[in-house]
Amino acid sequence: MTVLESPAPLVKWPPVSDRPLTPEDLYLFRWVDHVRLRPTGDRVAYQVTWADAGTRRNHGRVVVAGTDPGSPAIELRSDVKRDHSPEWSPDGSRIAVLSQLGARDQLFAVGADGRDATRLTDIPDGVLAARWSPDGRRLAFAARVVGDPDAVVDDPRPPDGEDQSRRPPVARIVRSLSYKRDGVGYLDGRHTHLFVVEADGGEPCQLTDGAWSIGGFSWSPDGRSIAVIGDSEPDADLRRTTRLYVTDVAGLSRRPVAEGLEMTTPAWSPRGDLIAFLAPIGERAGAHERVWVVPAAGGEPRCLTERLDRSAGGSVMTDMRATASARLEWSDDGDRLYFQTSGPGVAELHAVDLKGVVAVELARERSSIYDFDVRNGRIAACVTEPTCPGAVILADGGRQYRLTDANPWLCDRLVAAPERHVFAASDGLEIEGWVLKPPGFDPARKHPLVMQIHGGPHGQYGWAFFHEFQVLAGMGFLVVYTNPRGSDGYGESFKQACVRDWGGSDYQDLMTALDQFIDRTGFVDEARMGVAGGSYGGFMTNWVVGQTDRFAAAVSMRSISNLVSEFAQHDVVLWGEQEIGPPPWPDPDELWRRSPIRYVRDIRTPLLLLHGEADLRCAISQAEELFGALRLLGREVELVRFPGESHELSRNGRPDRRVERLRRIAGWFGKYLLGEAGQTQQETAAVAP
């Protein structure tokens, strides 16, 4: 089945309102995600999440609806703080959900009509993911439990209540690089392991243990075994490669099936003879994720998408949700595999058969697919567009139906639609980019501009909704965002072109694109330009202001300033060695030469640094180093720290902190690029509750 029609946009255009989006509108959004079709294909379950201003928490429900246009939708349960991650039982009569109880998620099995909810777990640190057995009698789930009791000295006092997280230990003993994970925190001797529990209740059985963690898992079609990915060998923290194991459901035996690749996302074939997974070819930074299969009995893995110059997974960035794990799903008869792919500014759905023949299964013009499911020839997908945060659509026999309208209030806002541009790099490469224009845009006038730089560096901007960009456009800014070399979506060689060259040709791409946009349009006020970015984009923002004074203001988020000091601090040390260069001992020159802080004396642009205090991907010390240096030099600089927030602050942080972050960005650019009008917004941000 190939669906290639160009359906109507998810949001009506042009808008009927001139009311711009604001940071506080975060509380109005409803985010749809994790769509799953009932095995018969006639009903769909998905999660709806929202930020609550009163509790300062994210809440959510699982919704069940028919797959015909206009079918009624019901909330599975309304008496919980947050239900999410629905999975249908094989007979379609029940749905497994994760329910937030206090500070933790526990596993429930609920009737498809919302009745007869059975709690299946009481795991101290909660449940991470669950899958039904093929006969529907059991569920396998992953949970973080003590796997290395020697790595932590625990505080014997339990939390004071269910709403509190586990107390920090008296001491942490660290012997491995894998002792922390951004968004999770310090693991404290705990590792992710596999369990099985009866679907009607009972004591869970732990199938794996020890000082190692599993990744994804998948049932065998006969229900006797489960495929898991991990590495139980000593010194696994010194390898990026993983191993594929098969364990029996009694947990009595575990045998290796494949190794030597950086494997994720196992999927056991319905025929039982093959196990599929995702992995790049070799250990190279920026290499595409590809689809592989290996005999379930063990043998040589075979890459099915070696000739497809696209990465398996959706890399289009947005601030509406955290980056989801890639999905890999077999067809019902086991003759092909479905997976997302990253194209130029888009994420689409492809399928590959066992001979390596790839076909497009679902591609919407100017849209990005961020989740999907396939049953009985039907495809359900979560899709975002630049004017829509996300919707569930159904594709069936060449037709597409929209099943959700979660954000009708956006019809009362001025949502800017992007205008696409293509720029020419100095060596002939094409650089794709977009611009959002402000309300009342007049091409005969000069307008202030903010250039945004994405993270990764192997992510990409594209056809997706971005709240931050809309806020800035609503304030009166041209918002320009591009995909310089290093971005995903344009082939593997383009994606790898910035490896060990951060601040080199990628920086030139950004400046060249900006220059060409200014020259070809003539309506940019070059005296009022700003630059902003997060993660690698924060690194690049720091780099930009150390190389040029052309920007009047800059905002650097969750950034890196010193590649030497950052090298071994973050939670992905081995990735960093491949991406940015060799360790700085005994010779730090390569990393120091490309460290923004080396050029700190040349930074004269007013700089706002935003950073989560619990960011374990880009340590907050990186912002502290740059702030301290600039302050000592007497430059305009401000550091805003967000307690308890990880690298994912902008996407799934505490709601009031997400709003405050947007206020600070708007206020900084308002102050330095809009003058008195912007100063009012800066003052509002400073006193916001």
Side-chain angles (χ1 to χ4, degrees):
M1 175 181 63
T2 301
V3 183
L4 286 171
E5 63 180 48
S6 298
L10 299 175
V11 172
K12 291 182 179 180
W13 191 259
V16 297
S17 172
D18 60 358
R19 182 180 175 186
L21 281 161
T22 68
E24 292 75 16
D25 284 332
L26 181 85
Y27 295 118
L28 300 179
F29 284 111
R30 296 296 183 267
W31 301 295
V32 296
D33 208 339
H34 200 96
V35 62
R36 297 293 183 267
L37 280 161
R38 190 154 77 167
T40 52
D42 62 335
R43 294 182 71 76
V44 65
Y46 54 91
Q47 67 187 43
V48 179
T49 309
W50 66 92
D52 183 73
T55 62
R56 300 183 177 186
R57 292 183 177 180
N58 293 315
H59 293 263
R61 299 284 185 269
V62 168
V63 175
V64 179
T67 51
D68 295 325
S71 295
I74 63 167
E75 289 185 354
L76 190 66
R77 297 194 296 171
S78 59
D79 58 343
V80 292
K81 293 178 181 177
R82 186 183 178 198
D83 267 354
H84 62 99
S85 305
E87 299 289 344
W88 289 94
S89 64
D91 65 0
S93 65
R94 305 173 81 186
I95 300 175
V97 298
L98 300 185
S99 294
Q100 186 176 358
L101 301 178
R104 290 160 285 278
D105 289 331
Q106 300 296 345
L107 177 61
F108 283 74
V110 187
D113 57 1
R115 301 176 183 174
D116 302 324
T118 302
R119 179 171 175 172
L120 302 178
T121 64
D122 185 16
I123 306 294
D125 283 287
V127 174
L128 304 176
R131 301 287 184 272
W132 289 90
S133 64
D135 62 7
R137 296 171 54 190
R138 293 164 293 183
L139 286 119
F141 65 90
R144 194 170 292 111
V145 293
V146 175
D148 183 7
D150 294 330
V152 62
V153 178
D154 264 320
D155 187 332
R157 298 170 298 162
D160 292 332
E162 193 175 53
D163 285 345
Q164 291 188 347
S165 299
R166 176 173 44 82
R167 292 178 183 272
V170 173
R172 295 182 172 107
I173 296 88
V174 176
R175 302 187 182 95
S176 165
L177 292 176
S178 304
Y179 73 97
K180 60 185 178 182
R181 181 64 57 190
D182 185 71
V184 175
Y186 296 99
L187 303 183
D188 293 346
R190 288 159 173 82
H191 295 269
T192 302
H193 283 295
L194 183 67
F195 294 76
V196 169
V197 65
E198 297 293 322
D200 293 326
E203 188 67 24
C205 174
Q206 184 171 342
L207 303 187
T208 64
D209 59 15
W212 64 288
S213 289
I214 69 161
F217 56 95
S218 178
W219 285 90
S220 64
D222 62 10
R224 297 177 179 177
S225 304
I226 301 175
V228 298
I229 282 177
D231 191 342
S232 64
E233 301 301 311
D235 298 330
D237 62 316
L238 300 178
R239 293 184 294 273
R240 294 194 68 192
T241 58
T242 53
R243 296 168 186 253
L244 175 63
Y245 300 103
V246 167
T247 181
D248 72 282
V249 294
L252 300 177
S253 67
R254 183 174 69 244
R255 61 179 173 84
V257 174
E259 61 182 33
L261 294 165
E262 194 178 344
M263 295 175 281
T264 63
T265 322
W268 208 314
S269 165
R271 299 173 181 174
D273 58 333
L274 297 172
I275 300 173
F277 57 86
L278 299 179
I281 298 174
E283 297 183 66
R284 300 169 295 153
H288 283 339
E289 291 285 302
R290 300 181 186 272
V291 180
W292 299 69
V293 291
V294 64
E300 189 68 24
R302 182 164 57 93
C303 183
L304 299 180
T305 60
E306 186 173 1
R307 295 190 300 273
L308 177 66
D309 195 12
R310 284 195 176 196
S311 185
S315 60
V316 178
M317 293 186 164
T318 171
D319 58 359
M320 291 287 91
R321 60 191 57 82
T323 304
S325 300
R327 276 178 60 74
L328 183 61
E329 292 292 318
W330 285 93
S331 61
D332 293 334
D333 56 8
D335 66 342
R336 62 181 50 214
L337 285 144
Y338 296 89
F339 58 101
Q340 294 152 276
T341 61
S342 296
V346 297
E348 300 172 343
L349 184 65
H350 282 61
V352 61
D353 66 19
L354 297 179
K355 294 181 179 179
V357 177
V358 179
V360 179
E361 293 294 323
L362 182 61
R364 289 175 56 94
E365 186 179 14
R366 300 189 173 192
S367 302
S368 292
I369 296 169
Y370 58 93
D371 194 42
F372 75 93
D373 199 19
V374 183
R375 291 290 182 273
N376 284 343
R378 285 183 159 186
I379 299 173
C382 292
V383 180
T384 179
E385 293 177 352
T387 56
C388 175
V392 176
I393 66 166
L394 184 79
D396 185 8
R399 297 171 297 172
Q400 294 185 27
Y401 308 100
R402 178 175 177 170
L403 299 181
T404 65
D405 185 13
N407 294 284
W409 62 274
L410 278 173
C411 293
D412 191 38
R413 294 292 190 279
L414 180 58
V415 182
E419 179 181 284
R420 180 178 177 268
H421 289 259
V422 176
F423 308 102
S426 58
D427 58 0
L429 283 177
E430 286 191 349
I431 305 299
E432 188 174 25
W434 297 264
V435 61
L436 300 182
K437 293 178 178 177
F441 171 77
D442 181 356
R445 293 176 46 232
K446 297 287 188 180
H447 298 268
L449 173 149
V450 174
M451 181 178 72
Q452 292 274 358
I453 308 172
H454 70 64
H458 308 303
Q460 64 166 322
Y461 286 140
W463 300 101
F465 186 91
F466 230 106
H467 187 197
E468 179 184 326
F469 296 3
Q470 294 291 342
V471 169
L472 292 173
M475 290 176 62
F477 295 109
L478 295 162
V479 182
V480 174
Y481 47 107
T482 62
N483 286 334
R485 71 191 69 204
S487 304
D488 199 4
Y490 304 88
E492 193 169 62
S493 62
F494 187 95
K495 185 177 176 182
Q496 294 179 314
C498 76
V499 173
R500 293 183 67 169
D501 189 37
W502 290 17
S505 297
D506 48 0
Y507 166 70
Q508 296 300 328
D509 288 348
L510 292 166
M511 296 300 103
T512 298
L514 178 61
D515 288 339
Q516 291 177 13
F517 179 74
I518 292 171
D519 291 343
R520 73 176 54 162
T521 62
F523 48 64
V524 176
D525 186 344
E526 293 187 64
R528 294 191 295 160
M529 295 197 305
V531 60
S535 195
Y536 161 83
F539 162 90
M540 189 58 71
T541 299
N542 296 339
W543 179 266
V544 165
V545 295
Q547 305 300 310
T548 177
D549 291 335
R550 69 187 304 185
F551 295 97
V555 178
S556 179
M557 299 161 268
R558 56 191 184 277
S559 71
I560 296 173
S561 64
N562 187 337
L563 295 177
V564 176
S565 62
E566 171 71 0
F567 185 86
Q569 311 191 54
H570 50 73
D571 65 340
V572 285
V573 176
L574 300 183
W575 173 88
E577 183 172 358
Q578 292 179 2
E579 177 69 40
I580 63 176
W585 51 84
D587 183 3
D589 285 355
E590 179 178 345
L591 298 182
W592 181 242
R593 186 173 63 253
R594 289 182 284 108
S595 293
I597 201 166
R598 179 186 179 187
Y599 307 94
V600 67
R601 289 183 176 273
D602 298 322
I603 298 177
R604 301 189 181 277
T605 304
L607 178 63
L608 174 65
L609 295 157
L610 303 175
H611 220 106
E613 291 186 347
D615 190 332
L616 300 180
R617 183 64 43 84
C618 297
I620 193 171
S621 60
Q622 294 294 300
E624 291 173 324
E625 280 193 60
L626 190 54
F627 169 78
L630 287 170
R631 181 68 185 127
L632 287 170
L633 290 169
R635 308 292 161 75
E636 287 291 323
V637 63
E638 184 174 301
L639 170 61
V640 179
R641 304 167 61 109
F642 292 92
E645 295 297 340
S646 74
H647 200 67
E648 294 293 310
L649 164 63
S650 64
R651 296 177 279 256
N652 67 357
R654 206 175 79 178
D656 54 327
R657 290 180 178 140
R658 291 177 69 181
V659 171
E660 183 65 14
R661 171 189 168 275
L662 291 171
R663 287 172 174 160
R664 293 286 170 177
I665 296 168
W668 192 260
F669 285 132
K671 175 181 178 180
Y672 288 100
L673 305 183
L674 298 181
E676 293 183 3
Q679 182 64 43
T680 301
Q681 297 191 46
Q682 174 76 356
E683 292 169 353
T684 300
V687 299

